[in-house]
Amino acid sequence: MVLVAGKNGDALTALYDRYSRFVYSISWRMLGQKHLAEEITLDVFERVWFRADAFQPEKGQLKSWIARLTRNLSIDRIRHEKIRPEMTAVSWADWFQELGSRHSSPELAVTRTLQADRVQLAIQELPGEQQEALAYAFFGGYSHQEIANLLDLPLGTVKTRLRLAMKKLAFLLFDEELG
Amino acid sequence: MTEFEAIKELLPGYVLGTLDPAERMRVREFLDACRGCREEIAHLTAVTERILETAVELDPAPALRGRLQERIGQPAPAAAPARPKAAAPEPAGGFWAPLWSFFGRPAVQLGMAVLLIALIAANFLLWRAQERPGNHAINERGMQALAVQGTADTPEASGFILISADGQSGALVADNLPGLAPGTAYQVWLAIDEAGVLESGGLFQVDENGYGGLGLQATRPLSEFTRIGVTVEPESGSSGPTGLKVLGRDLP
């Protein structure tokens, strides 16, 4: 990233070769459209190029930063283009659906599969209404109020469901008891 | 409800990006004075990242690489390197660091470590090009690597199935499989003949050398299955084998 911040094109190309499939996959899953996923992929690496100094290694790994960036830009696009779940139909089942993915090695394929299994099991342990609210928030970028309107629920109920869902996931995935 | 309690209620929405601008500003202003809130945000952020990391990896169009260079005003790069046959280098922290963070619980860590060590061992066995099929004990815990042979249609293909000592989980690594047509994938099938059970163990692709693999997915312990096979199927998978069988064997 130091090289990218110094505007070294080869460094950005190397970064692209390493993470473009990851970025494309997240955006494709969230947006459900190939051309939009490609646009987001370009947006992410353009942002990395021009804002490399925004990455703070002490706050986490580069891959995590890129993942957050990808989700945020995807949600911005969903809001801007007014893409809504009835169009992208993103659900937890969609997210975890296997599509004969290509991994750079069987070792990574194994780790990815097992990691996904664990996350999927954790999601499945959430009550259905929490899964639903979390899917709207996570994939759709809906606000609390929008989710409340969509599900015809009081605003406080939506906040509670999201909080309980995230707390339980933190416990199931990291053994973290959040207050 | 105190301000602290109200802010805590908003933290998941802050991380998920579901707060309205006023709520977001309210949380942001509170964070400087609330170390516990910042720690909770870090944990919640880790949850979202963990979910994002499970995205099934798909290939973007090759032309996208050139379009990026155009956008940033850099000269077009050389073609992307061929996908490596061994594990690709990982970002900061190396291959093992994210692996250990994936599986935080000690029991899971142990099982994963054994599985990954076995997978590497299986690659070594593949490299050694064993002359005859058989079962190979990988370690003292009784983990097994079972050689899998190609079929009459794919005599050059070979591979290993790795089954954990408790029989609960495993992986498949294969080599010299035929290249796949666009829109297709290899699908693993697990069967219990006497019970009439047949289920998918997952989908995978191979590189230009026909090398690939996956962690096997099954609804019951792998040790209960009596047969494994691999066929060519549509990339979204089939409910039963329909295409060319490329690998297979009976399970002990």
Side-chain angles (χ1 to χ4, degrees), chain B residues 82-138:
Chain B
R83 199 165 277 133
K85 185 157 182 162
E90 277 293 290
F95 176 76
W96 293 102
L99 176 64
W100 283 110
S101 70
F102 288 166
F103 307 101
R105 295 178 180 178
V108 179
Q109 286 180 344
L110 176 62
M112 277 305 305
V114 170
L115 185 58
L116 265 290
I117 289 167
L119 191 61
I120 291 164
N123 277 305
F124 177 71
L125 291 173
L126 271 174
W127 177 70
R128 289 276 307 273
Q130 297 292 313
E131 292 183 353
R132 59 186 176 82
N135 302 344
H136 305 265
I138 294 274

Side-chain angles (χ1 to χ4, degrees), chain A residues 102-114:
Chain A
R102 300 180 66 92
H103 291 273
S104 50
S105 75
E107 291 84 352
L108 289 181
V110 170
T111 55
R112 187 265 158 202
T113 303
L114 293 169

Side-chain angles (χ1 to χ4, degrees), chain B residues 65-85:
Chain B
R65 198 166 178 259
R67 287 175 57 195
L68 174 64
Q69 303 301 320
E70 288 172 17
R71 269 208 193 187
I72 64 168
Q74 290 286 307
R83 199 165 277 133
K85 185 157 182 162

Side-chain angles (χ1 to χ4, degrees), chain B residues 14-232:
Chain B
Y14 183 80
V15 169
L16 289 166
T18 54
L19 302 185
D20 62 43
E23 287 175 322
R24 191 162 186 81
M25 182 63 71
R26 185 177 164 201
V27 173
R28 205 170 267 167
E29 288 174 352
F30 195 80
L31 287 183
D32 280 343
C34 181
R35 181 179 174 183
C37 298
R38 294 197 300 273
E39 289 175 352
E40 184 158 335
I41 282 175
H43 293 311
L44 293 169
T45 300
V47 170
T48 64
E49 290 170 355
R50 182 60 48 89
I51 295 170
L52 291 171
E53 286 169 1
T54 64
V56 174
E57 292 206 4
L58 304 167
D59 285 318
L64 206 59
R65 198 166 178 259
R67 287 175 57 195
L68 174 64
Q69 303 301 320
E70 288 172 17
R71 269 208 193 187
I72 64 168
Q74 290 286 307
R83 199 165 277 133
K85 185 157 182 162
E90 277 293 290
F95 176 76
W96 293 102
L99 176 64
W100 283 110
S101 70
F102 288 166
F103 307 101
R105 295 178 180 178
V108 179
Q109 286 180 344
L110 176 62
M112 277 305 305
V114 170
L115 185 58
L116 265 290
I117 289 167
L119 191 61
I120 291 164
N123 277 305
F124 177 71
L125 291 173
L126 271 174
W127 177 70
R128 289 276 307 273
Q130 297 292 313
E131 292 183 353
R132 59 186 176 82
N135 302 344
H136 305 265
I138 294 274
N139 61 25
E140 294 174 354
R141 295 186 180 90
M143 192 164 191
Q144 285 190 311
L146 310 175
V148 194
Q149 297 303 304
T151 64
D153 293 315
T154 56
E156 300 295 317
S158 64
F160 276 90
I161 311 158
L162 307 153
I163 300 179
S164 62
D166 62 7
Q168 295 290 322
S169 55
L172 167 75
V173 60
D175 204 3
N176 290 324
L177 291 179
L180 286 161
T184 64
Y186 286 114
Q187 188 162 7
V188 181
W189 301 102
L190 297 160
I192 305 175
D193 288 331
E194 58 270 29
V197 171
L198 177 67
E199 64 179 63
S200 173
L203 294 152
F204 68 99
Q205 299 271 347
V206 293
D207 67 11
E208 65 277 8
N209 298 313
Y211 178 78
L214 78 168
L216 295 171
Q217 300 167 302
T219 59
R220 59 186 80 204
L222 291 176
S223 54
E224 292 184 14
F225 292 95
T226 58
R227 205 153 47 87
I228 188 169
V230 177
T231 60
V232 179

